[in-house]
Amino acid sequence: MIKQLIQEVFSDEVDVEFLTESITERIDGYKNKKIRPRKIQWDQDDVFLITYGDQFYREGESKLTTFKNVYRKFFSDTFPIVHFLPFFPYSSDDGFSVIDYEQVNPELGDWADVQVMNREARLMFDFVCNHMSAKSNWFRGYLENQPGYDNFFIDVDPSTDLSMVTRPRTSPLLSEFKDSDGKTRHVWTTFSDDQVDLNFTNPKVLLRMIDVLLFYVDQGADFVRLDAVGFLWKELGTSSIHLTKTHKIIQLFRSIVDEVAPGTVLITETNVPHKDNISYLGDGTNEAQMVYQFPLPPLVLHAVRTGNTSYLQKWASEVTPPTKETSFFNFLASHDGIGMNPVRGIIDEDEILELVADLEKEGALVNYKQNPDGSFSPYEINTTYIDALSNRTDGDELRVKRFMLAHSILLTIVGIPAVYIQSILGGRNYYEGVEQTGANRTINREKYEASEIYDSLLEVGSLRNQVYRQLQELIQLRRNETAFHPDHSMRILSTTSTTFGLVRNEEVYALHNMCDKNQTISLEAGTYVNLLTKNECQIEQEIILEPYQFVWLRKK
C-alpha cells in the first residue's frame, strides 16, 4: 500500500523503491519501540476539551503544570480527551506558525510536562503540516541555500497566473524574501507572510513531515489534527485545494500510523463546504477517521438567532458517516471564528450576509476572504459563542438558556462532541486582547490567571459558574447514555420550522424549541423518562416546550 501511494504521488519523478524503503525503516523503528496501545474505536464516553496549553498561568509554575492542576480540579471528570492547540515554539498566529515541530514552547514547559498530562487524559496534537514559520531553521536553511533545504518551500515567478488558486485570506499569496545570494524569492504563503508553505513535491519534505508525525504519535498523541491540510499539494493552473495528491498523502499518513499505533485517529481540518469536507473520509477506511463538522456552528447559530430551523433540519437529515470506522468531530466554538464558507450552498447568501450584519451590530468582528473575481466575502465571524447567541442587552438567564440549548444539539447530534475552553468557562468577547494584538481572532482567545478562574467558577450564581455547572452536568449525562454512541443511528423528526428534534438509536429523543414562544412537538403517545430531571411523564400526542427549552426523553 505504501509503495503504491508513493507511486501515485510522485509517478516516475523519484526513486520509488528508495522512498518506500526509507518510510518502511521509520515504521519499523517506531514499532520496535512498542508505542503505548490506543483505545480502539470510540463510544459515547468520548468528549474533547479544546484548549491552549498556556490557557492558565500562575507565577513560578510552568503553564502546562498549571493547566494540569486546573484540569484535575474542574475538567477531568468531564473531558477524557484534551486537544492541545499547537504548543511548540512559534512566531505568530497563536501557535500556528511553528518554528520547531519537535520542541515544546519553553514558556509552557517541556515534553516531560506533556507526558504528565498524557497520564491524566488522552491527547490530541496539532500537526501544522501545510506551512511553518518564516523564522524557522528550515526556512532559514532554505534562504541560506544550505544543502538539503533546496526546494523545501515554493518559489513562484510573480508573473505566473495564480488567479485560480483558492484564497482563504486577503493577504498576498506570494511573499518576498531575500536569500543569502541577494536573490528575491517569491514564496507561496497561503495564510500570511510568516507562514510559508512546505513543498510536498519534494520527497525530502515528505520524509521530514513523516518524522514529525511519528514523533507526535510516540509522544502520546492518540489523535492528530491535520491543520489546513486541504492546501497541502499545489499545482499551477489549479485551485490548489483538495487536489488528488493531497488525499493520497493523507492516505499515506493513515497507512503509517495504522502500522505503528493502531487506534491513532487522524482528523482533518478543512473549513470548506460539506461535500468537500467529507471527501477527506476517503472510502471510509483509508483516509481520515474524522472530519471537523464545520457547518454545525453557523447552522446552530443561525437557528437560535432567527428561530428558523429549516436549514438545520434539512442539513442534519442528510448527515450520515459513510462507515462505522468514520465519524464527525462536532463543535460549536473553537480558537478560530465561526466559518461561513461551510454553509454556502446550505443557507442562502442573502441570509448569511444578514446574519453577519446582525452579529456585527452586537459586537462581533468579521474576517473576509478574497474571491477569484477580486471581490470580498465574509469568511468567519469572530466572537465567543455565548456572545454570538445573544444580544448585548440580554440578561444572563436568557444568555445561559440559549447557550445550553445550542449545546444540547452539539451533544446529541451524531458524531463526537468537542467543547472549546472559552465555552465551558462562559468566556465573553475579549476586546482588550484584540486591541493588543490587532487580530480579530484574539476576541475568543483570552488567557487567565489560575486563581481568577478558581474563584469565578466556584462563585455560585455567576455566569461562569452557571455555564460550567450546567454544561458539565449535560456532558456527564451524554457520556452515560449509550443511545448517543457515535455509531448509533440518528433520525431527524418532522417538526415545525421553529423547533428541532432528533431521535438516537430509536431510543432517546432530543427536542429543542429554538424561539422565544411556547412551541409543541408531536410525539408518539406513551410514557417517557425525562433524562434531565429523571421524572416520568405521560405524553398523549404532543409535548409543549417553553422558549428555548430542550428535553431529552427515553420512551419506556
Side-chain angles (χ1 to χ4, degrees):
M1 174 62 73
I2 288 173
K3 182 177 179 180
Q4 178 183 337
L5 288 168
I6 292 170
Q7 287 175 324
E8 291 173 350
V9 171
F10 294 106
S11 303
D12 299 325
E13 301 160 15
V14 302
D15 185 338
V16 172
E17 294 293 342
F18 173 78
L19 195 51
T20 303
E21 185 178 328
S22 297
I23 294 173
T24 302
E25 288 176 354
R26 286 165 165 79
I27 292 172
D28 291 342
Y30 277 93
K31 286 171 72 174
N32 291 335
K33 294 176 74 171
K34 297 183 179 178
I35 292 176
R36 173 183 56 79
R38 268 63 174 160
K39 176 180 178 180
I40 302 299
Q41 205 50 283
W42 39 67
D43 55 38
Q44 72 280 356
D45 188 57
D46 293 327
V47 182
F48 288 77
L49 176 67
I50 307 169
T51 183
Y52 285 99
D54 61 350
Q55 188 62 56
F56 308 111
Y57 57 89
R58 179 182 283 125
E59 188 174 351
E61 191 171 72
S62 75
K63 291 185 173 69
L64 283 171
T65 297
T66 304
F67 180 88
K68 176 199 67 179
N69 292 334
V70 175
Y71 173 82
R72 277 180 175 173
K73 184 169 182 63
F74 293 105
F75 305 126
S76 60
D77 290 339
T78 308
F79 298 100
I81 310 168
V82 174
H83 169 204
F84 277 129
L85 294 158
F87 50 84
F88 319 107
Y90 70 96
S91 53
S92 64
D93 198 19
D94 284 344
F96 285 90
S97 55
V98 177
I99 292 175
D100 189 332
Y101 288 114
E102 297 183 348
Q103 295 296 323
V104 175
N105 184 345
E107 294 183 9
L108 276 66
D110 54 28
W111 283 112
D113 293 310
V114 176
Q115 300 308 321
V116 170
M117 191 61 214
N118 196 202
R119 292 194 286 273
E120 303 280 335
R122 296 153 68 203
L123 300 180
M124 179 155 95
F125 291 8
D126 256 289
F127 185 20
V128 188
C129 51
N130 176 71
H131 52 266
M132 70 185 310
S133 171
K135 313 294 190 303
S136 64
N137 286 336
W138 290 16
F139 192 60
R140 185 179 302 113
Y142 170 79
L143 291 180
E144 292 177 356
N145 297 298
Q146 294 177 13
Y149 287 100
D150 52 309
N151 295 320
F152 248 60
F153 302 91
I154 306 166
D155 185 1
V156 180
D157 184 331
S159 65
T160 305
D161 181 5
L162 299 171
S163 59
M164 290 184 64
V165 175
T166 297
R167 300 295 297 119
R169 300 287 185 272
T170 57
S171 57
L173 177 62
L174 303 181
S175 299
E176 291 187 7
F177 296 90
K178 291 278 189 183
D179 69 12
S180 57
D181 294 332
K183 176 186 175 184
T184 298
R185 300 197 183 193
H186 299 87
V187 179
W188 196 298
T189 52
T190 296
F191 293 97
S192 80
D193 60 5
D194 188 44
Q195 294 166 299
V196 287
D197 288 47
L198 288 151
N199 183 10
F200 275 85
T201 65
N202 180 351
K204 292 180 181 178
V205 169
L206 177 63
L207 287 176
R208 291 290 288 272
M209 297 307 278
I210 288 172
D211 288 338
V212 174
L213 175 62
L214 288 170
F215 178 74
Y216 289 169
V217 173
D218 187 36
Q219 292 297 319
D222 286 60
F223 303 84
V224 179
R225 175 185 185 267
L226 303 179
D227 176 67
V229 72
F231 298 94
L232 203 67
W233 192 272
K234 284 83 172 172
E235 288 181 15
L236 298 181
T238 74
S239 65
S240 291
I241 188 172
H242 314 315
L243 298 185
T244 298
K245 291 186 178 181
T246 290
H247 287 278
K248 295 299 180 183
I249 290 174
I250 298 170
Q251 291 169 25
L252 178 61
F253 289 164
R254 169 71 182 272
S255 295
I256 291 169
V257 297
D258 279 354
E259 282 281 331
V260 169
T264 302
V265 175
L266 299 183
I267 304 177
T268 50
E269 186 266 337
T270 49
N271 192 349
V272 294
H274 186 66
K275 181 179 178 181
D276 295 320
N277 189 33
I278 62 173
S279 71
Y280 288 88
L281 296 174
D283 67 6
T285 64
N286 67 340
E287 210 161 326
Q289 291 100 321
M290 277 195 265
V291 296
Y292 271 67
Q293 191 60 288
F294 277 107
L296 187 63
L299 280 168
V300 172
L301 174 61
H302 178 271
V304 173
R305 287 202 68 90
T306 65
N308 177 10
T309 65
S310 56
Y311 292 117
L312 177 62
Q313 286 190 48
K314 183 178 186 303
W315 169 82
S317 66
E318 299 170 354
V319 170
T320 306
T323 72
K324 287 187 177 295
E325 295 180 324
T326 61
S327 193
F328 296 111
F329 186 87
N330 293 331
F331 70 107
L332 295 178
S334 75
H335 62 291
D336 287 340
I338 302 167
M340 293 292 102
N341 281 355
V343 289
R344 287 193 158 94
I346 299 175
I347 299 178
D348 292 341
E349 186 68 19
D350 288 347
E351 292 192 55
I352 291 175
L353 297 178
E354 187 177 337
L355 176 64
V356 171
D358 180 36
L359 286 161
E360 278 192 292
K361 290 177 185 176
E362 295 300 331
L365 306 176
V366 181
N367 281 332
Y368 290 83
K369 72 179 184 72
Q370 187 171 4
N371 301 316
D373 63 2
S375 63
F376 297 91
S377 299
Y379 171 74
E380 65 178 14
I381 302 167
N382 300 111
T383 173
T384 62
Y385 209 77
I386 195 168
D387 278 334
L389 291 168
S390 297
N391 298 330
R392 285 183 282 192
T393 56
D394 290 334
D396 283 352
E397 181 179 359
L398 179 57
R399 201 180 306 278
V400 173
K401 266 189 175 182
R402 286 174 161 174
F403 181 81
M404 294 305 300
L405 174 72
H407 280 80
S408 170
I409 297 173
L410 170 69
L411 294 171
T412 57
I413 201 165
V414 68
I416 300 171
V419 176
Y420 183 45
I421 189 74
Q422 298 292 348
S423 290
I424 197 161
L425 294 177
R428 306 294 302 278
N429 285 341
Y430 181 41
Y431 295 109
E432 299 91 336
V434 176
E435 289 179 9
Q436 293 167 14
T437 66
N440 287 352
R441 286 178 167 180
T442 309
I443 199 170
N444 196 24
R445 298 180 179 182
E446 186 173 4
K447 309 296 173 62
Y448 303 95
E449 203 281 324
S451 61
E452 172 193 345
I453 284 299
Y454 275 64
D455 292 342
S456 59
L457 287 180
L458 295 173
E459 182 187 346
V460 177
S462 69
L463 179 64
R464 287 199 197 282
N465 175 265
Q466 291 182 68
V467 168
Y468 165 72
R469 179 174 49 79
Q470 292 185 38
L471 186 50
Q472 184 185 46
E473 290 173 357
L474 201 62
I475 292 170
Q476 293 286 18
L477 184 57
R478 179 231 154 72
R479 292 178 64 195
N480 290 325
E481 179 50 65
T482 57
F484 295 132
H485 191 293
D487 292 347
H488 284 171
S489 66
M490 177 179 74
R491 177 167 58 87
I492 303 302
L493 304 180
S494 178
T495 67
T496 66
S497 62
T498 54
T499 57
F500 179 69
L502 59 88
V503 57
R504 295 297 308 277
N505 206 40
E506 297 300 330
E507 296 176 51
V508 173
Y509 294 78
L511 311 177
H512 308 84
N513 178 4
M514 309 294 280
C515 75
D516 58 1
K517 296 180 177 60
N518 286 356
Q519 298 293 319
T520 61
I521 295 180
S522 298
L523 219 60
E524 183 182 351
T527 303
Y528 293 79
V529 176
N530 185 327
L531 300 180
L532 306 179
T533 64
K534 313 302 183 189
N535 296 326
E536 287 190 5
C537 56
Q538 191 70 32
I539 295 177
E540 300 301 329
Q541 290 182 315
E542 60 187 22
I543 182 171
I544 300 175
L545 297 180
E546 296 177 357
Y548 303 114
Q549 183 186 3
F550 65 91
V551 293
W552 295 0
L553 302 175
R554 173 183 284 280
K555 189 173 182 183
K556 291 195 72 175

